[in-house]
Each structure stands twice: as structure tokens, then as C-alpha cells.
Amino acid sequence: DIQMTQSPSTLSASVGDRVTITCRASQTISTWLAWYQQKAGKAPKMLIYQASNLESGVPSRFSGSGSGTEFILTISSLQPDDFATYYCQHYNTYSWTFGQGTKVEVK
Amino acid sequence: EVQLLESGGGLVQPGGSLRLSCAASGLKYDIYAINWVRQAPGKGLEWVSGISSFGDTPYYADSVKGRFTISRDKSKNTLYLQMNSLRVEDTALYYCAKGDCSSVGCPGDHWGQGTLVTVSS
């Protein structure tokens, strides 16, 4: 089974910072990767699909890159609304696999 | 507007059963795959099960295989998760999530708000 590993687990940052979160797959997954944002008490919200495609309505400060086994989510200028937990997800015909999550907290 | 509404959660003893429902509105329900994802208290997301738009091919995580059954009733725009032989470790908030295509191989672009399942004696 493919494992997804995110780093870091927790990230302390300030408003205006550039933030990057890494997700690594245990084997190559092409670009079958999505990123989600989850705020406390809320359902996850998809930000990025197919590694680099921005979901409709998502601010352009979010971007995704990578292919194969290494992927990056970048927030170009962190906003107050962006403090949340972020998950990467590999999807294939048979299953979904999530990373363990990265919590972005106030520095 | 796409809406997914889960129901059926509650408190059940170990070994018991529950059936969760996910009612969909605002979409052409029968052309999308639907998945169940759970989140234990204070933990991350775990995919549980998914079913294609055709409803003919269900998929399960190893942790629930043989105990959970996913199904869909297109006439009612509703997805179900029958959960048998429940364990303490099945305690979680259960979300249904719509894939953005007909197979499980697409990410979830709409999610419900979840229904809480607590397995405890």
C-alpha cells in the first residue's frame, strides 16, 4: 500500500509569511494528489487537485507543485483565515490515502 | 448548491451495528462516486469506503473490510454505510464526500458535515 508522509507536522508562522508543506509518497503516484484545508470543527475543503490545479473559488495565494513522489503546497502570503490543518491525499481507482496532516499555527 | 447530509450516528456497544446515511441534493447524484471518510477525535483523516457512480464496485479500507458495507439508492439520492461488528477504534466522525467524477479515483470536491459514531460499553 502507498503511504503518504507530510512534513512538518506542525508549522508556526505569521501573517504575511510564505509557507510550504511537503508531502512524500512511498512510491510514484504521478500527479494523483490533492490538498485539503480543515478548520476546527469543519469538514475538509479541497484546495488543489491533480497536484497543481487550483479548485474553483480557492484564493490564488495557494499553489501546488510536484509529481512522482514529492509534492509541495505553498501559501504565498499567509492570511488570518489560513491557520488550519492541511492534508495531502493520494487518490486512485481503488482507494484514497491521506497524509497525517500539517497544522499551521500562529507564531 | 451541492449538499451532503449525513445521519445515523450514535452510541453503540462494541459488537453492535449502525447504518449511516448520506443524502445528496443539488447535483446529478448518479454520475458521481461517493466515499466515506472518518476522523477519530483529535486525529487525521482516514478513508473508509467508496463506491462508483454505477454502484457496482465497492471498495473498502483493510480496517473495515468484512465488517462494513457501502451501498447507494439512486432513487433516493442516498448513500449508506452499514457498519457491523463495531469496535472501540471505529469511534469517529464519519463524513461522506463526493468525488468529482464517476470512479473512486477522483478527489472529494464536496463534503458533508459528518455524523458522530461512538463505540463504547
Side-chain angles (χ1 to χ4, degrees), chain B residues 10-22:
Chain B
L11 174 64
V12 62
Q13 291 188 337
S17 297
L18 276 177
R19 189 177 81 156
L20 306 184
S21 300
C22 171

Side-chain angles (χ1 to χ4, degrees), chain B residues 32-80:
Chain B
Y32 297 104
I34 308 285
N35 294 266
W36 287 99
V37 175
R38 67 186 181 185
Q39 187 168 36
K43 302 298 184 182
L45 302 171
E46 178 190 15
W47 176 81
V48 172
S49 180
I51 190 165
S52 67
S53 65
F54 308 107
D56 57 347
T57 310
Y59 299 96
Y60 301 97
D62 288 344
S63 58
V64 306
K65 203 171 292 183
R67 300 188 297 123
F68 290 11
T69 302
I70 191 172
S71 62
R72 61 194 301 167
D73 185 336
K74 293 184 180 180
S75 67
K76 296 182 179 179
N77 278 11
T78 300
L79 176 79
Y80 302 101

Side-chain angles (χ1 to χ4, degrees), chain A residues 38-59:
Chain A
Q38 187 180 32
K39 297 181 180 178
K42 301 292 186 182
K45 172 188 173 184
M46 188 169 72
L47 302 174
I48 302 284
Y49 62 95
Q50 209 159 345
S52 60
N53 293 296
L54 194 67
E55 174 70 346
S56 176
V58 174

Side-chain angles (χ1 to χ4, degrees), chain A residues 1 32 34 36 38 41-44 46 49 55 87 89 91-100, chain B residues 35 37 39 43-47 59-60 62 95 97 99-100 104-109 111-113:
Chain A
D1 291 354
W32 302 116
Y36 296 85
Q38 187 180 32
K42 301 292 186 182
M46 188 169 72
Y49 62 95
E55 174 70 346
Y87 294 91
Q89 175 210 37
Y91 47 93
N92 63 34
T93 306
Y94 311 105
S95 66
W96 291 358
T97 305
F98 292 94
Q100 81 277 17
Chain B
N35 294 266
V37 175
Q39 187 168 36
K43 302 298 184 182
L45 302 171
E46 178 190 15
W47 176 81
Y59 299 96
Y60 301 97
D62 288 344
Y95 294 103
D100 64 0
V104 172
C106 292
D109 61 351
W111 295 59
Q113 287 307 301

